[in-house]
Amino acid sequence: SRSNGGFSFGGAGDIFGGGLMQAHRSRRYGKLKAKLVKISGEEVFEDEHSPQHKALVYLADVDSLTLDPYDEIAATQFYQRYALAVFYFATGGPSWKSRTYWLTGRHECGWLFVICSDINDVLAEIDTTNITISNSSGSLDDISSEDGNYTAEEDDDYSLLHYGDADLGLGEGRIVTGLSLYDNGLYGKVPKEIFTLEFLQILDLGNNNLQGMIGTEFGKLLHLRKLYLEKNMMYG
């Protein structure tokens, strides 16, 4: 059976309340925003309550890694860290059942339920014949659905998968290949930024309170092999 591990959170996930969101916007904030508007657009950053703005504040003024998107080596990690931070805020991260190490200074591959792989291994193992998302239409080929609810394999257990070394360096080539957040108290809508994690192979968001349409955006995840969205309020 599935297990979320039961870990308690001891990091920085609650520092975005109160004064921080009203705080002085640093020079670094402006530099990072100039890069992120290309992904999320300009308007979302004008709303201090938006997941994108909160994620930007985290990366600019809170995250101890201080990654530089203008640096060729650090850029990949910066953008995947941004996508995960937006996802965290968009789906009620501060109230998740378990959120160990999320939004701490650890490498995102050390955040609970984030699955990572070495980029070279991923590129070597990609087999396009096994992709479950159609490149042309974005439709799911081999996952059954009824009224937008997908049926997962109940014996799936990702607890034995490698979650990554929390102390990995910036140039190690680690990329996010899976998110396993089954029954973890998520709510809200899946943000579009999650679809920038182009090498995702497993996306398990089943048994939460997510809403919204299951659109063709999932077709952007060309390497996705397992998608579990059952027991949510999603449709499409």
Side-chain angles (χ1 to χ4, degrees), residues 3 23 27 30 40 46-47 56 74 93 95 97 102 122 124 130-131 133 159 211 220 223 225 233:
S3 172
R27 181 179 178 183
S40 301
E46 301 305 316
D47 178 4
L56 172 54
S95 63
K97 295 179 181 179
W102 279 75
V122 172
N130 290 332
I131 294 175
I133 296 291
S159 62
Q211 301 177 348
K220 297 178 181 179
H223 308 301
R225 300 174 186 273
M233 293 177 283

Side-chain angles (χ1 to χ4, degrees), residues 103-160:
L103 302 194
T104 65
R106 292 195 177 211
H107 192 293
E108 62 277 11
C109 290
W111 297 354
L112 186 65
F113 307 132
V114 176
I115 303 167
C116 289
S117 303
D118 183 273
I119 181 61
N120 294 318
D121 293 339
V122 172
L123 293 176
E125 293 174 3
I126 286 175
D127 180 356
T128 57
T129 61
N130 290 332
I131 294 175
T132 63
I133 296 291
S134 167
N135 291 4
S136 58
S137 66
S139 61
L140 292 170
D141 292 334
D142 60 5
I143 302 179
S144 62
S145 67
E146 181 177 353
D147 297 328
N149 294 317
Y150 294 93
T151 302
E153 300 171 21
E154 293 300 329
D155 60 347
D156 278 347
D157 185 351
Y158 303 136
S159 62
L160 298 180

Side-chain angles (χ1 to χ4, degrees), residues 20-38:
L20 180 60
M21 300 312 297
Q22 304 295 329
H24 167 70
R25 294 184 181 180
S26 65
R27 181 179 178 183
R28 175 171 163 79
Y29 176 100
K31 290 182 61 177
L32 300 190
K33 178 182 174 183
K35 285 288 189 179
L36 296 177
V37 293
K38 299 176 182 178

Side-chain angles (χ1 to χ4, degrees), residues 10 13 36 70 75 96 105 148 150 163 171 176 185 192 224 227:
L36 296 177
Y70 295 86
W96 287 356
Y150 294 93
Y163 285 98
V176 176
K192 68 178 182 179
L224 198 62
L227 173 63

Side-chain angles (χ1 to χ4, degrees), residues 197-232:
L197 300 175
E198 60 179 315
F199 291 105
L200 273 184
Q201 297 178 3
I202 298 171
L203 184 57
D204 186 354
L205 306 177
N207 199 24
N208 286 290
N209 294 299
L210 295 171
Q211 301 177 348
M213 182 177 181
I214 303 172
T216 57
E217 292 87 354
F218 285 92
K220 297 178 181 179
L221 301 176
L222 301 181
H223 308 301
L224 198 62
R225 300 174 186 273
K226 293 188 176 184
L227 173 63
Y228 297 144
L229 301 175
E230 84 284 3
K231 299 180 182 179
N232 281 289

